[in-house]
Amino acid sequence: MGTRKKVHTFVRVKPTDDFAHEMIKYGDDNKSIDIHLKKDTRRGVVNNQQTDWSFKLDGVLHNASQDLVYETVAKDVVAQALDGYNGTIMCYGQTGAGKTYTMTGTTENYKHRGILPRALQQVFRMIEERPTHAITVRVSYLEIYNESLFDLLSTLPYVGPSVTPMTIVENPQGVFIKGLSVHLTSQEEDAFSLLFEGETNRIIASHTMNKNSSRSHCIFTIYVEAHSRTLSDEKYITSKINLVDLAGSERLGKSGSEGRVLKEATYINKSLSFLEQAIIALGDQKREHIPFRQCKLTHALKDSLGGNCNMVLLTNIYGEAAQLEETLSSLRFASRMKLVTTEPAINEKYDAERMVKNLEKELALLKQELAIHDSLANRTLVNYDPMDEIQIAEINSQVRRYLEGTLDEIDIINLRQIQEVFNQFRVVLRPSTPPPKPVAFEDFKNERGSEINRIFKENKSILNERRKRASETTQRINAIKREMDVTKEALNFQKSLREKQGEYENKGLMIIDEEEFLLILKLKDLKKQYRTEYQDLRDLRAEIQYCQHLVDQCRHRLLTEFDIWYNESFFIPEDLQVALKPGGSIRPGMVPVSRIMSLGEDAQDKFSQLQQVLLPEGPDSVAFYNAKVKTEQKHNYLKTMMGLQQAHRK
């Protein structure tokens, strides 16, 4: 695929005997739906009330069976998942409109099973049709309830309760839930058992709209990994299918909720509002920032909304006149989702073990090919293996004789020999003309110091990323603080207004109006956000301090090892060079000081300047880092001495 495509949106209308035929019309192609409202005569003669809406979709499912819904909405997404494409199928709509029935169906009747069990079945059926691949399937079941994460499969005996709360984590591979159990399942029956286990653990409460309403968002994820049974094929594919059953989208007054259920509805409406904001931002091609982190739902679905996956939205609506306002709201959400584009791409990875084996085979084959060519050219004594010390010493002798003029030319045999000739030219000529330290430092970072330099760069990259996140968190905290101040002012104004108008009490309780109540709720939520963000900032600052410590250590080690390498490479007498080579009797950095020529003052000054250039904060930070190094050395010494004293006491 690899081309951009719109999110597919479908609407499923709940069957009813009281269908509003005069208000809801379907297009002839079953891809559009028109809504007509009668004008409210109470608004007078001048009435600009909108009465007609038209929504263009990918399909309208009216009186459709579970079979037809799955064939239309989900089958292609699941099929492409086994080819390496991620997929997301989401059910959205008002409570009681049929979201959970569409997504899960009923466990009592096989015919009425929903998208989720059908998807599991299709996955295992397709696996049977692909004997050339070894395919593994894993599943997880996440519930988001009142902005908290729950593992619906944590009740399994081999999982056990988690000690720490689950968190949403991002890495270069995508978003994953830390602490969420993922279960390997080798057959269809086992997968269904996991599904039913999770369904049993879902949080369900009743209100006036539906006696069995799910009051949480649930995400069932199927992870697929397919390896070719052909050992020469080092590529393999991974994919995941997110099946999302959202909580009801109706307004608070519509649900008649109160107490605990009212609190649930408040969280649900906020998360769905943030979801809508994210969808609007995704649909705007000019927007760079997408507010995924505003709530747990959008954060968990960050790499499943848009991005590189196949995405389908199924909006469930009522067909009755009494629910027309909520139906319009759901259809507006579907039309906004249709503006979002994705760019599906295959998730390919490489099996490192197979790659090594294939490269070893290819190397052996190339050696055989070279042997044939050498034999045909009467070059039977050519050796392509790495050179040993005797061969290197011989090339060194040839280079010296060539420079002295006693050897007219050096025989060229193979590529390894050419490289070693150039290397020996450098070995012979460099001692008399050592390169400038900045030039030598670049060589050191690419050769002997490459590993510590790589670690230094990685730590520096992590440090910069943590600093960026801390800056963003600080900005969010400041924004929340400003919003809190504005809300407090508005709340104080409402309180003063209530006091002026006369307060009213009922059974000892102060009665306040809805606007003041909503301001109190908003302020409470802002304070919670502030505390959460502030805790995140404290954690980030601790991580930054630790990362800075690692960067400082790596920098100090890099400069120290370069100093040792530079001295040993260019200022050590020739009789010690052999002992310093790999396998020699002297380890790098352990050459006796009396046998090494000291650096001149000019060279030492240049080295100090090089240190200053490398430090990110410039020359002013040299004293700071030197003091830090000395302090660390002191602490390490004290720690060692304490350890020795404890061992002596024992």
Side-chain angles (χ1 to χ4, degrees):
M1 299 173 78
T3 56
R4 299 196 70 83
K5 57 187 285 190
K6 297 285 186 182
V7 171
H8 287 171
T9 57
F10 298 89
V11 170
R12 187 180 194 185
V13 186
K14 185 175 182 179
T16 176
D17 294 332
D18 192 21
F19 186 78
H21 292 283
E22 296 180 357
M23 298 180 177
I24 303 176
K25 303 287 185 183
Y26 305 131
D28 294 335
D29 58 355
N30 277 331
K31 290 188 177 182
S32 62
I33 184 169
D34 298 327
I35 305 294
H36 172 73
L37 285 177
K38 294 180 181 179
K39 281 199 174 185
D40 189 349
T41 56
R42 292 175 296 180
R43 296 193 178 186
V45 178
V46 180
N47 188 348
N48 296 323
Q49 177 191 6
Q50 183 176 352
T51 58
D52 294 285
W53 291 265
S54 182
F55 300 94
K56 186 70 175 176
L57 308 158
D58 291 290
V60 178
L61 300 164
H62 182 53
N63 290 330
S65 65
Q66 295 282 67
D67 286 336
L68 179 59
V69 170
Y70 186 78
E71 289 286 328
T72 306
V73 173
K75 187 176 181 180
D76 288 343
V77 175
V78 176
Q80 291 182 18
L82 267 76
D83 294 324
Y85 295 95
N86 290 339
T88 298
I89 302 171
M90 184 183 299
C91 282
Y92 177 92
Q94 185 181 2
T95 296
K99 296 185 305 299
T100 302
Y101 176 73
T102 299
M103 182 57 71
T104 309
T106 59
T107 55
E108 297 83 9
N109 192 318
Y110 177 77
K111 182 180 179 181
H112 294 158
R113 69 198 189 284
I115 291 174
L116 210 163
R118 292 172 187 267
L120 286 171
Q121 186 179 62
Q122 183 181 347
V123 166
F124 283 100
R125 296 287 167 83
M126 293 183 69
I127 290 174
E128 293 176 358
E129 297 170 0
R130 301 191 181 195
T132 57
H133 286 75
I135 303 176
T136 57
V137 178
R138 293 176 174 83
V139 300
S140 65
Y141 210 168
L142 172 70
E143 180 176 50
I144 304 175
Y145 174 69
N146 287 358
E147 278 300 281
S148 297
L149 305 176
F150 297 94
D151 184 358
L152 290 177
L153 299 178
S154 63
T155 53
L156 293 170
Y158 55 86
V159 176
S162 176
V163 179
T164 57
M166 291 191 295
T167 55
I168 302 172
V169 180
E170 295 185 44
N171 61 26
Q173 286 71 43
V175 176
F176 71 97
I177 312 299
K178 186 178 181 180
L180 179 65
S181 61
V182 180
H183 304 262
L184 178 66
T185 175
S186 57
Q187 55 186 358
E188 191 177 320
E189 183 178 336
D190 296 338
F192 286 150
S193 297
L194 292 170
L195 169 61
F196 300 150
E197 174 77 16
E199 284 298 306
T200 304
N201 296 325
R202 285 189 67 169
I203 294 174
I204 292 177
S206 62
H207 58 57
T208 57
M209 300 296 296
N210 188 0
K211 66 178 182 180
N212 289 316
S213 171
S214 58
R215 310 305 301 145
S216 60
H217 311 295
C218 289
I219 305 171
F220 189 95
T221 305
I222 306 171
Y223 308 87
V224 179
E225 187 174 302
H227 292 259
S228 172
R229 296 188 188 275
T230 305
L231 291 177
S232 60
D233 191 353
E234 58 207 26
K235 288 184 182 179
Y236 68 97
I237 59 171
T238 62
S239 63
K240 64 179 180 179
I241 311 168
N242 282 318
L243 302 162
V244 186
D245 182 11
L246 298 171
S249 61
E250 68 284 338
R251 294 165 296 161
L252 295 181
K254 198 88 172 182
S255 63
S257 303
E258 57 185 21
R260 178 178 64 83
V261 181
L262 174 63
K263 180 183 177 183
E264 295 171 350
T266 303
Y267 276 112
I268 291 167
N269 282 356
K270 287 180 65 175
S271 62
L272 291 176
S273 175
F274 289 139
L275 173 63
E276 190 164 0
Q277 291 177 27
I279 294 305
I280 292 172
L282 285 167
D284 185 355
Q285 300 296 328
K286 297 179 182 178
R287 286 283 294 270
E288 294 183 0
H289 173 69
I290 310 298
F292 286 117
R293 295 193 180 187
Q294 288 184 312
C295 68
K296 295 288 198 305
L297 175 64
T298 52
H299 197 183
L301 293 174
K302 179 179 178 180
D303 59 354
S304 304
L305 297 172
N308 69 338
C309 67
N310 291 308
M311 187 171 179
V312 176
L313 173 73
L314 180 55
T315 303
N316 295 83
I317 64 173
Y318 282 95
E320 300 168 357
Q323 309 296 338
L324 210 54
E325 192 172 348
E326 297 292 344
T327 293
L328 272 172
S329 176
S330 297
L331 290 172
R332 290 192 191 102
F333 180 83
S335 63
R336 281 191 280 268
M337 180 65 86
K338 193 164 175 59
L339 298 176
V340 179
T341 58
T342 66
E343 192 171 355
I346 297 177
N347 298 293
E348 284 186 333
K349 295 184 179 180
Y350 289 86
D351 189 319
E353 187 176 350
R354 288 190 181 186
M355 283 183 67
V356 170
K357 290 181 178 179
N358 291 340
L359 288 172
E360 288 175 346
K361 288 181 180 179
E362 186 175 355
L363 180 61
L365 185 63
L366 289 173
K367 283 185 176 181
Q368 293 175 3
E369 189 75 24
L370 280 172
I372 293 174
H373 283 284
D374 290 338
S375 177
L376 294 173
N378 293 322
R379 300 171 70 240
T380 55
L381 299 178
V382 179
N383 184 6
Y384 297 99
D385 293 328
M387 293 187 172
D388 56 27
E389 292 184 4
I390 296 175
Q391 291 171 318
I392 293 173
E394 174 59 29
I395 292 177
N396 180 276
S397 174
Q398 291 178 5
V399 168
R400 291 181 182 278
R401 283 183 286 146
Y402 178 82
L403 292 172
E404 292 168 358
T406 57
L407 182 65
D408 293 334
E409 61 182 24
I410 299 174
D411 293 332
I412 300 302
I413 301 174
N414 56 38
L415 182 60
R416 286 187 191 274
Q417 190 247 6
I418 294 174
Q419 291 175 336
E420 190 57 42
V421 166
F422 279 106
N423 183 51
Q424 291 305 316
F425 267 107
R426 182 172 58 182
V427 169
V428 173
L429 295 175
R430 258 194 179 181
S432 59
T433 56
K437 280 207 165 183
V439 175
F441 188 71
E442 294 302 318
D443 290 341
F444 173 77
K445 288 192 295 183
N446 294 326
E447 297 176 3
R448 180 162 144 187
S450 61
E451 180 62 18
I452 183 64
N453 187 50
R454 180 188 65 79
I455 296 172
F456 172 74
K457 286 182 176 179
E458 287 182 359
N459 289 337
K460 192 68 184 298
S461 175
I462 295 172
L463 176 61
N464 291 336
E465 188 271 337
R466 295 296 190 277
R467 283 175 172 168
K468 181 181 177 183
R469 284 172 54 187
S471 175
E472 293 172 350
T473 304
T474 303
Q475 292 176 11
R476 289 197 298 272
I477 288 174
N478 292 336
I480 293 171
K481 183 63 171 63
R482 289 192 295 270
E483 192 173 358
M484 285 171 62
D485 293 339
V486 172
T487 306
K488 285 179 182 177
E489 290 179 7
L491 188 57
N492 290 334
F493 175 78
Q494 288 294 324
K495 286 181 179 178
S496 63
L497 192 64
R498 168 165 48 83
E499 291 170 356
K500 290 177 182 178
Q501 294 175 349
E503 298 179 336
Y504 175 69
E505 293 185 357
N506 183 15
K507 296 181 180 180
L509 297 175
M510 186 65 65
I511 304 301
I512 60 176
D513 61 13
E514 183 180 2
E515 187 173 357
E516 188 175 349
F517 176 71
L518 291 176
L519 285 171
I520 293 172
L521 286 181
K522 181 179 180 181
L523 184 60
K524 183 179 180 182
D525 184 63
L526 286 171
K527 287 181 179 179
K528 183 178 180 182
Q529 290 182 44
Y530 185 91
R531 289 192 295 269
T532 301
E533 293 287 352
Y534 190 77
Q535 183 59 45
D536 290 344
L537 182 61
R538 290 182 62 184
D539 294 340
L540 281 170
R541 284 174 176 170
E543 289 184 39
I544 289 171
Q545 186 177 6
Y546 178 72
C547 291
Q548 184 67 65
H549 174 71
L550 294 180
V551 169
D552 293 343
Q553 279 189 327
C554 288
R555 181 187 291 109
H556 177 69
R557 182 180 169 190
L558 185 65
L559 294 173
T560 302
E561 292 195 5
F562 167 69
D563 193 17
I564 295 169
W565 173 82
Y566 191 87
N567 291 337
E568 293 177 350
S569 298
F570 306 112
F571 296 95
I572 296 177
E574 290 184 11
D575 59 331
L576 287 180
Q577 292 288 348
V578 176
L580 280 172
K581 288 184 177 180
S585 58
I586 300 178
R587 291 187 292 109
M590 299 300 291
V591 179
V593 177
S594 60
R595 300 296 301 275
I596 300 178
M597 295 176 62
S598 61
L599 286 173
E601 289 184 359
D602 293 340
Q604 184 63 52
D605 292 340
K606 290 178 182 178
F607 187 53
S608 298
Q609 293 172 7
L610 178 62
Q611 281 185 304
Q612 295 175 8
V613 171
L614 284 173
L615 293 172
E617 293 82 4
D620 294 339
S621 64
V622 173
F624 172 83
Y625 287 117
N626 285 340
K628 192 174 184 66
V629 168
K630 290 177 182 177
T631 303
E632 290 172 358
Q633 290 174 344
K634 178 182 176 181
H635 281 285
N636 290 335
Y637 171 76
L638 292 174
K639 190 183 295 184
T640 303
M641 293 303 296
M642 288 178 63
L644 291 173
Q645 290 173 2
Q646 291 175 358
H648 180 69
R649 291 193 191 103
K650 291 179 179 179

